[in-house]
Every structure is written in structure tokens, then in C-alpha cells.
Amino acid sequence: MCNTELLSLLGRDKLIAICRGAEGETLLRLAAAIRDGGIRFIEVTFQQEREDCAGLAQRNIKALCGLPGIIPGAGTVLSAAQVRAAYEAGAKYIVSPNTDPAVIAEARRLGLISIPGALTPSEIMAAHNAGADLVKLFPAAAMGLKYFKDLRAPLSHIGLVVTAGVTLDNLGDYLKAGAFAAGISSPLCNKELIAAGGFDEITRRARAFCRIASPSVSA
């Protein structure tokens, strides 16, 4: 599937599930639960505090590639070397908390979708001008819906993916205000639920997000 098709699919699905900190069998159970709830785009983050950061991310991304119905991506990608590691493992898109032209360039060179993070109008434009396919507005909820609407007015030509603090209560508002998509983290990758084996609840939550994101499809 080419980037144009993937972007079109994400534009319809509207959701990226962010699996931060999960690995091994736990990650597979979590990803399967999220997929069963209807979310196909699942992002595995690089755990930058780990000495084996790149190797761990590669193993996790490769594991996701073995699950049918999932479109795997890499998050918290901070260097061109990490872009290459993600690509070699099978990631289809690269997500970062910041804008680094070298990361964007390497993602594009390898044919991956580039989604760098930005907060201010200047940062968003810098990411867009550097070749980003989409820009992650991060942290979105800390700034609030009005801030997002104010950004959208002059920057409506740039697809924004709202991330951090997106919940069932505010997702619909962001999408109505023009968000291209949303990154969902703690409501799905919930440490307490995972520890308790509450994967059915995670599936239920994923399905609830899908009903908001694509009501005509999820009804």
C-alpha cells in the first residue's frame, strides 16, 4: 500500500493508537484488543530511556507486523538512525514529538509517512515546509480546543493530528474542528487495565473511539 493510500485510509479511520511501554506478549495482546475494537493504525514508541531502545522498538514493530489487520508505525522517533531502524522492522509511518528536518528527510527518503510534532504556528509551518505529510499537534489538550481552532484558521491546508489528552469526551470536538486524525494513548494503553488483564475493556474503549471517529462505519 502506497503512502497516498495509507494517508487516505488514516483520513477515513481518524485514529492512531499509541502503545507506549508495552512489549512482547503484552504488546501483542494489547494490539490485538485495540484492533478488535476497530483501530488499525497502531504506533509503537521508541523508549528513549532504554539502552536497547532501537533493538526493542524493532522487535516490537516486527511483532506487530505479524498481526493481521494492523498498520504498524513508530513513535517518539528522534533521529535518522531510528527512522532506519523502524523502517527495517516494517513500520509504515514515523511519528515524533518534535520537528527535526533530518528525521523528516530520512522518512521521506525511505518512503515512510512523516508525522513530526509541533505546537506553535511557526513550528507547524517549519514541519510542513520540511516535507512532513502531516503534523502532530503536541500536546494538544494542554492547549485546549480554542487554541486548535485558532491554529486551523490560517493553517487549514496542513493536516493536523491532535495528540496527548485526547479522550472520548473531546475527540468529537477536535474532529469537528478539522483535525485530520487523533493519537490516542492512555485511554487505550492503560497500565492498570493491562496489568489486570482487562483487554475486553480496551476493545470496548477502542470501539467507542471508532464510533465517534467514523459513526457511519461503526454504527
Side-chain angles (χ1 to χ4, degrees), residues 63-77:
L64 279 194
C65 290
L67 288 178
I70 286 175
I71 302 172
T76 317
V77 179

Side-chain angles (χ1 to χ4, degrees), residues 52-202:
D52 60 342
C53 174
L56 175 62
Q58 283 191 313
R59 290 193 296 274
N60 287 334
I61 293 167
K62 286 178 181 176
L64 279 194
C65 290
L67 288 178
I70 286 175
I71 302 172
T76 317
V77 179
L78 300 183
S79 69
Q82 290 179 356
V83 174
R84 291 191 292 274
Y87 169 78
E88 291 167 2
K92 304 301 182 184
Y93 48 97
I94 299 295
V95 186
S96 302
N98 64 318
T99 293
D100 183 334
V103 169
I104 296 170
E106 188 67 0
R108 290 182 62 85
R109 186 184 74 82
L110 294 172
L112 304 176
I113 291 172
S114 173
I115 313 176
L119 182 62
T120 68
S122 295
E123 292 170 353
I124 292 169
M125 279 304 305
H128 176 71
N129 290 338
D133 294 290
L134 302 167
V135 179
K136 179 173 88 168
L137 180 64
F138 174 80
M143 304 304 292
L145 182 63
K146 185 179 185 305
Y147 181 77
F148 176 77
K149 290 180 177 179
D150 289 343
L151 284 175
R152 279 282 299 164
L155 302 178
S156 59
H157 60 297
I158 300 174
L160 296 178
V161 180
V162 291
T163 305
V166 180
T167 67
L168 289 169
D169 292 329
N170 61 24
L171 172 63
D173 292 331
Y174 280 111
L175 295 179
K176 288 176 185 176
F180 184 90
I184 312 298
S185 52
S186 55
L188 296 175
C189 189
N190 182 286
K191 293 180 180 179
E192 289 75 20
L193 269 179
I194 293 169
F199 295 101
D200 288 344
E201 171 62 16
I202 291 171

